[in-house]
């Protein structure tokens, strides 16, 4: 199945995003710069993924007169997948400071590449509005699928996944498990290598964000 067959995949090819992606991929980029760029790209991507957020008409009193205005009409929840997803939070929360933040803890077992659950804490209103599920990497798709399962169990209906880099394998797995979830990526790479890493990719996102390698 070609990766493009995901019914809800959007590749965000905005030049400002791609310019930062070039620096993120560069092995010479320092952890400090990598963190900053991850956060910035996440914000730019989310801005585009917010285009159709529900809003309601209201009025506000300007210093001159009453004006028609629009406000977001449902609580937004941001859900980073621990741990690398944390690197995306700051850039997104800067755009929507009123958002709640939930956390889903998952890591990939390095030998089986299966996602292992270790934490889930979601705000009580999570099902009442859009949820942005964020993780820099969509590789086999195991982590994204497991995180989406948590969100669906909690009643979420409008789930949007934001990942910096995806492999066709992960996109296809998401399409099979959760075709209704909108997936936004900055890059759809060639494939997974024999260790389950996305190639060309950008390496281990968590290690590069937190300087653990
Ligand atoms: C990475 C990444 C995703 C997952 C993607 O996390 O941040 O969560 O792998 O791989 P998948 O699509 O095959 O599930 P990792 O498990 O390395 O944990 P970390 O964030 O703690 O570094
Ligand atoms: N997780 C990462 O951090 N990088 C990959 O390429 C695949 C999974």
């Amino acid at each position: 199945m070609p990766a493009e067959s995901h019914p809800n995949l959007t590749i965000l090819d905005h030049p400002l995003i791609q310019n930062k992606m070039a620096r993120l991929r560069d092995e010479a980029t320092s952890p400090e710069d990598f963190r900053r760029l991850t956060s910035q790209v996440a914000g730019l991507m989310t801005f585009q993924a917010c285009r159709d957020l529900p809003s309601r008409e209201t009025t506000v009193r300007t210093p001159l007169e009453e004006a028609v205005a629009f406000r977001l009409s449902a609580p937004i929840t941001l859900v980073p997948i621990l741990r690398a997803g944390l690197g995306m939070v700051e850039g997104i929360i800067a755009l929507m400071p009123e958002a709640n933040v939930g956390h889903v803890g998952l890591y990939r077992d390095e030998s089986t590449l299966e996602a292992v659950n270790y934490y889930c804490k979601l705000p009580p209103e999570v099902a009442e509005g859009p949820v942005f599920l964020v993780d820099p990497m969509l590789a086999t798709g195991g982590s994204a699928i497991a995180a989406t399962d948590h969100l669906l169990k909690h009643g979420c209906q409008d789930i949007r996944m934001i990942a910096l880099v995806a492999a066709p394998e992960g996109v296809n797995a998401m399409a099979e498990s959760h075709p209704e979830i909108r997936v936004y990526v900055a890059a759809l790479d060639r494939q997974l290598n024999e260790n389950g890493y996305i190639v060309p990719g950008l390496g281990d996102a968590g290690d590069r964000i937190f300087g653990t390698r």
Side-chain angles (χ1 to χ4, degrees):
M1 179 169 40
E4 292 75 8
S5 68
H6 190 303
N8 276 316
L9 175 69
T10 304
I11 301 173
L12 297 170
D13 59 358
H14 193 291
L16 288 182
I17 293 176
Q18 295 306 320
N19 188 56
K20 292 180 192 298
M21 286 299 295
R23 299 184 58 205
L24 273 168
R25 287 189 192 273
D26 189 338
E27 64 177 355
T29 297
S30 67
E32 181 185 349
D33 287 341
F34 192 90
R35 262 197 299 276
R36 188 171 39 78
L37 289 160
T38 299
S39 175
Q40 289 174 350
V41 171
L44 290 168
M45 292 181 72
T46 304
F47 184 73
Q48 298 198 59
C50 280
R51 193 71 189 84
D52 65 342
L53 282 185
S55 62
R56 67 181 159 77
E57 192 174 317
T58 179
T59 55
V60 289
R61 179 121 215 120
T62 77
L64 301 175
E65 63 178 40
E66 192 117 308
V68 174
F70 297 87
R71 289 194 183 276
L72 296 174
S73 58
I76 300 174
T77 305
L78 176 58
V79 178
I81 299 180
L82 305 178
R83 110 200 114 126
L86 289 175
M88 299 170 72
V89 170
E90 197 180 313
I92 299 175
I93 214 82
L95 300 175
M96 42 177 90
E98 69 284 0
N100 296 313
V101 183
H103 296 88
V104 174
L106 291 161
Y107 70 88
R108 281 202 317 179
D109 180 308
E110 288 303 327
S111 52
T112 63
L113 299 183
E114 298 274 319
V116 181
N117 279 286
Y118 62 89
Y119 189 73
C120 180
K121 181 86 177 170
L122 299 170
E125 310 83 0
V126 69
E128 292 172 26
V131 178
F132 289 90
L133 177 64
V134 303
D135 191 326
M137 310 305 278
L138 179 60
T140 64
S143 303
I145 290 167
T148 303
D149 289 341
H150 276 300
L151 296 174
L152 291 173
K153 244 183 259 161
H154 280 77
C156 301
Q157 291 178 14
D158 177 353
I159 304 169
R160 308 166 191 217
M161 162 120 208
I162 306 210
L164 271 48
V165 184
E169 292 87 337
V171 168
N172 290 339
M174 270 299 269
E176 261 175 37
S177 300
H178 298 302
E180 73 286 5
I181 305 301
R182 283 185 264 179
V183 178
Y184 297 86
V185 301
L188 180 59
D189 277 9
R190 193 174 71 247
Q191 66 186 90
L192 295 179
N193 71 10
E194 61 284 4
N195 299 316
Y197 276 81
I198 302 173
V199 283
L202 47 73
D204 188 307
D207 283 346
R208 294 193 68 185
I209 290 168
F210 296 110
T212 44
R213 177 169 293 170

